[in-house]
Amino acid sequence: MKKLYTKGRASIEFDSPVFFESCASITGPKEGQGPLKDCFDAICKDPTFGCDTWEAAESAMQKESAQMAIGKAGLSPAAIRMVFAGDLLAQTIASSFGIAGMGIPFYGLYGACSTMGEALSLGAMTIAGGYAEHTLCATSSHFASAEKEFRFPLGYGNQRPLSASWTVTGSASCILGQTPPKETHPNSMPLRKGSCCAAITGITTGKLTDYGLKDSLNMGGCMAPAACDTISQHLTDFGRSPSDYDAIFTGDLGYVGKKILIDLLLAKDIDITKQHQDCGILIFDADTQDTHAGGSGCGCSAVVLAGYILPGILSGKWKRVLFVPTGALLSKVSFNEGDTVPGIAHAVVIEQKEV
Amino acid sequence: MKKLYTKGRASIEFDSPVFFESCASITGPKEGQGPLKDCFDAICKDPTFGCDTWEAAESAMQKESAQMAIGKAGLSPAAIRMVFAGDLLAQTIASSFGIAGMGIPFYGLYGACSTMGEALSLGAMTIAGGYAEHTLCATSSHFASAEKEFRFPLGYGNQRPLSASWTVTGSASCILGQTPPKETHPNSMPLRKGSCCAAITGITTGKLTDYGLKDSLNMGGCMAPAACDTISQHLTDFGRSPSDYDAIFTGDLGYVGKKILIDLLLAKDIDITKQHQDCGILIFDADTQDTHAGGSGCGCSAVVLAGYILPGILSGKWKRVLFVPTGALLSKVSFNEGDTVPGIAHAVVIEQKEV
């Protein structure tokens, strides 16, 4: 019997850290006017990214973030053994026509807005198990392709309830590797500051959690129970308390979901009020940007991770964070057939490592 | 630096075999009248599986195959560390409302009809890396939900060209584990015959392959280039020839795709005519069942694996097979926007092991 790295019911603790070699983020113009505007690698003024359709725009953005991340790591696409990627669209076409076309062995994922958590989890297992030298984890979302996919035509101009979130137009890619990143040539920009690196040390795999909500314009409410389940499972599995983390970032619960999450966890005697931040709240200024409950979409937690969280870990702002992207497993077919909107959340422990 | 188990550009060779602990298959009535009718664990006479919608029918079928596989392995759902599952529907709702609801940590996949190959690859890496004791790999497809998702309403009664395939109504689940399966109680039915077991010893991860075909009613043609790429990459990576395999099973190329695959490989001086079989050709009798090019869908290769290939490995019919599920990354949006239909195929080496 081989050694097991499992921990508790749903977690894994790696015996050696899996390093972030690089990361890259690209967003649309609205995200480029928000509070995190100085964090992203690129902000495209044109939300079509020069393409004819919203889906092609999302694919272009995803490919661009992947190419940037590969370049920043000082690698070529041929050095990447596997890509883990997905998006929100039916049959994940943003990825099929985006990153999947780069000629790299490809595993397509569907985890709704939790995709970056799923990709990092699988990417880290693959690296830690010795099955890849470098993996690329990527995702994207686009406001216009998501509205078309899930809600109303943009031209219809429907009114959005205050519980609705605004899908982030953005894509981020991360390169994971076994060894600490290093500068290979003057143009590379590895994710390293002196001897400080960012690394994944553990994960908790989410379970589908369904409290019976059916409101596709209240994604935060649908996903909060899943975030609660994953965070409490994580703390139990690792025998940790919230104070063992400098910050706990959920993906895109927004203002509505954040309140529900805090309340649900308090009912389990877990208080994360001091540590909790939500990527969907961080990315937009709700007062001036008319984004109601906050940002959402696969791209939301992904660009906040690449643009804000990982740099903050390098700079010593946080030594250990729990990154918990949250997804709502909604489709227009299941919605129209009267089904609920179940949620899922995957947790990734990211730590500062001196090397 | 940890030991790497990578092989060539896109392959992994496991240092110890990953065992199939059990498998289970369930199909609809049409599959239950085909040449493999005696192979499946269950054939449901009612294609709605007692549900109100086609999507719910597919979910019910998927849950049933998972429960059967868990039971046959003599396990409980709580013993399964992770599920890897996906399906063809937008946002993989057959899985979200099927297997994902079983309370097991869940990774959702999208690989179109290659999903069983993707699930087995990731499930095997997880087991071999020591990240799980038992993983459940599952997928499904349903003729009616797939026609609704991708083509025409059934009531429209459109005429199908001879290159069209017939989506298999079926679901299969496999349990993978580190150690050879054993009978734990009289009701368990582990995948074992005396000292013979079936195990995964290597994988080759597919790359997206796009020859520019746009015909959503010729999936075999769209996927054959991907199967060719994965099979030739696999043989190169492992330094093997087709004769090192007793059989090479592609997923659902059908008659049209089979011919293209054989021709494409012959152009690379690889002759698989003696070894090649296609699950889509095996599952239906095209002459009497009006299935044109053959069977297709995630469920096609999955139920043929569980019902026909794995039992054949146990019985000694084949000692080593290459299982290559093939997927066409099509969506109605990308189709309507004039995009191509790219293909992907993942290869899994399955061998008979004496334990």
Side-chain angles (χ1 to χ4, degrees):
Chain A
M1 190 92 175
K2 275 191 159 186
K3 199 185 160 192
L4 282 170
Y5 301 99
T6 51
K7 215 161 161 77
R9 168 70 182 106
S11 300
I12 290 164
E13 187 169 34
F14 298 113
D15 59 340
S16 53
V18 175
F19 291 94
F20 282 89
E21 297 190 78
S22 73
C23 63
S25 57
I26 176 165
T27 72
K30 190 179 180 83
E31 293 70 23
Q33 293 156 1
L36 301 183
K37 62 178 182 289
D38 298 326
C39 299
F40 306 123
D41 290 289
I43 296 162
C44 189
K45 284 182 184 169
D46 170 13
T48 72
F49 291 80
C51 301
D52 292 333
T53 66
W54 298 120
E55 292 76 19
E58 188 176 338
S59 293
M61 182 169 65
Q62 200 188 88
K63 215 164 174 176
E64 183 63 32
S65 85
Q67 282 164 341
M68 271 198 284
I70 293 171
K72 286 171 85 172
L75 298 170
S76 68
I80 309 293
R81 180 156 289 263
M82 278 172 216
V83 172
F84 293 93
D87 57 84
L88 289 173
L89 304 182
Q91 290 80 40
T92 64
I93 47 167
S95 305
S96 301
F97 292 98
I99 208 167
M102 292 176 70
I104 307 172
F106 178 77
Y107 286 123
L109 309 180
Y110 185 75
C113 307
S114 74
T115 301
M116 189 47 107
E118 181 174 354
L120 291 175
S121 299
L122 294 170
M125 275 194 269
T126 307
I127 293 286
Y131 302 118
E133 307 85 344
H134 312 280
T135 57
L136 170 54
C137 306
T139 190
S140 63
S141 55
H142 192 298
F143 172 74
S145 64
E147 288 295 300
K148 175 175 162 184
E149 176 76 30
F150 295 107
R151 297 184 186 92
F152 298 97
L154 289 183
Y156 178 64
N158 75 301
Q159 198 162 0
R160 304 160 58 80
L162 288 175
S163 62
S165 50
W166 188 280
T167 304
V168 164
T169 298
S171 171
S173 295
C174 299
I175 310 277
L176 301 180
Q178 274 193 0
T179 51
K182 50 185 182 290
E183 202 163 301
T184 48
H185 57 74
N187 291 331
S188 67
M189 291 170 63
L191 202 64
R192 177 173 184 143
K193 194 171 180 178
S195 59
C196 274
C197 297
I200 296 174
T201 57
I203 61 168
T204 299
T205 309
K207 295 192 289 288
L208 185 128
T209 309
D210 189 351
Y211 274 26
L213 274 79
K214 295 185 174 191
D215 185 354
S216 78
L217 290 165
N218 180 4
M219 297 279 95
C222 297
M223 297 185 292
C228 168
D229 184 71
T230 299
I231 292 170
S232 65
Q233 182 74 57
H234 174 80
L235 296 174
T236 304
D237 285 353
F238 280 81
R240 291 181 185 162
S241 70
S243 60
D244 289 316
Y245 290 92
D246 299 312
I248 296 173
F249 292 93
T250 48
D252 51 357
L253 297 182
Y255 294 98
V256 177
K258 179 187 173 86
K259 188 169 174 347
I260 299 171
L261 171 65
I262 301 276
D263 287 351
L264 287 173
L265 282 171
L266 279 176
K268 293 183 178 229
D269 282 329
I270 298 170
D271 183 355
I272 62 162
T273 43
K274 281 195 192 128
Q275 291 80 23
H276 184 248
Q277 299 190 58
D278 183 70
C279 301
I281 293 175
L282 289 165
I283 196 166
F284 291 125
D285 179 345
D287 289 336
T288 61
Q289 293 193 286
D290 194 32
T291 47
H292 295 356
S296 64
C298 304
C300 177
S301 59
V303 299
V304 174
L305 173 74
Y308 181 67
I309 301 174
L310 291 175
I313 288 172
L314 283 201
S315 71
K317 190 169 179 180
W318 309 292
K319 295 269 187 194
R320 184 198 271 163
V321 309
L322 191 64
F323 177 59
V324 193
T326 41
L329 300 174
L330 163 75
S331 93
K332 55 183 175 259
V333 173
S334 61
F335 177 78
N336 286 333
E337 288 177 352
D339 279 318
T340 55
V341 183
I344 197 161
H346 298 292
V348 182
V349 184
I350 307 175
E351 299 188 47
Q352 192 196 68
K353 288 281 168 192
E354 296 271 343
V355 292
Chain B
M1 191 89 175
K2 275 190 158 187
K3 197 185 159 193
L4 281 171
Y5 301 99
T6 52
K7 217 165 161 72
R9 168 69 182 107
S11 300
I12 290 164
E13 187 168 35
F14 297 114
D15 59 338
S16 53
V18 175
F19 291 94
F20 281 89
E21 297 190 79
S22 72
C23 64
S25 57
I26 175 166
T27 73
K30 190 179 181 83
E31 294 70 22
Q33 292 157 1
L36 301 184
K37 61 179 183 289
D38 298 327
C39 299
F40 307 122
D41 291 289
I43 296 162
C44 189
K45 285 182 185 169
D46 171 13
T48 72
F49 291 80
C51 300
D52 292 333
T53 65
W54 297 121
E55 292 76 18
E58 188 176 339
S59 293
M61 183 169 65
Q62 200 187 88
K63 214 165 174 174
E64 184 63 32
S65 86
Q67 281 164 342
M68 269 197 286
I70 293 171
K72 285 171 86 173
L75 297 170
S76 68
I80 309 294
R81 179 156 291 263
M82 280 172 215
V83 171
F84 293 93
D87 57 83
L88 289 174
L89 304 182
Q91 290 81 37
T92 64
I93 48 167
S95 305
S96 301
F97 292 98
I99 209 166
M102 292 176 71
I104 307 172
F106 178 78
Y107 287 123
L109 309 180
Y110 185 75
C113 308
S114 75
T115 301
M116 189 46 107
E118 181 175 355
L120 291 175
S121 299
L122 293 171
M125 275 194 268
T126 307
I127 293 286
Y131 303 119
E133 308 84 344
H134 312 280
T135 58
L136 170 52
C137 306
T139 190
S140 63
S141 55
H142 193 297
F143 172 75
S145 63
E147 289 296 300
K148 175 174 161 184
E149 176 75 31
F150 295 107
R151 297 184 186 92
F152 299 98
L154 289 183
Y156 178 63
N158 76 301
Q159 198 160 358
R160 304 160 58 79
L162 289 175
S163 62
S165 49
W166 189 280
T167 304
V168 163
T169 298
S171 171
S173 296
C174 300
I175 310 277
L176 301 180
Q178 274 193 359
T179 51
K182 50 183 182 288
E183 203 163 299
T184 49
H185 56 75
N187 290 331
S188 67
M189 291 170 64
L191 202 65
R192 177 172 184 143
K193 193 169 181 180
S195 59
C196 275
C197 297
I200 296 174
T201 56
I203 61 168
T204 299
T205 308
K207 294 191 289 289
L208 185 128
T209 309
D210 189 351
Y211 274 27
L213 273 79
K214 295 185 174 193
D215 184 355
S216 78
L217 289 165
N218 180 4
M219 299 278 94
C222 298
M223 297 186 292
C228 168
D229 183 72
T230 299
I231 291 170
S232 65
Q233 182 74 56
H234 174 81
L235 296 174
T236 304
D237 286 353
F238 280 81
R240 290 180 186 162
S241 70
S243 61
D244 288 317
Y245 290 92
D246 299 312
I248 296 174
F249 291 93
T250 48
D252 50 357
L253 297 182
Y255 295 98
V256 177
K258 179 189 173 84
K259 187 169 175 348
I260 299 171
L261 171 65
I262 301 276
D263 288 350
L264 287 173
L265 282 172
L266 279 175
K268 293 183 179 230
D269 282 328
I270 300 169
D271 183 356
I272 63 161
T273 43
K274 280 194 193 130
Q275 291 80 24
H276 184 247
Q277 299 191 57
D278 183 70
C279 300
I281 294 175
L282 290 165
I283 197 166
F284 291 125
D285 180 344
D287 289 336
T288 62
Q289 293 194 286
D290 195 30
T291 47
H292 297 356
S296 63
C298 304
C300 177
S301 59
V303 300
V304 174
L305 173 74
Y308 182 67
I309 301 173
L310 290 174
I313 287 172
L314 283 200
S315 72
K317 190 169 179 180
W318 309 291
K319 295 270 187 193
R320 185 198 271 165
V321 309
L322 191 64
F323 177 59
V324 193
T326 40
L329 300 174
L330 163 75
S331 94
K332 55 182 173 258
V333 173
S334 61
F335 178 78
N336 286 332
E337 289 177 352
D339 279 317
T340 55
V341 183
I344 196 162
H346 298 291
V348 182
V349 184
I350 307 176
E351 299 188 47
Q352 192 196 67
K353 288 281 167 192
E354 296 272 341
V355 292

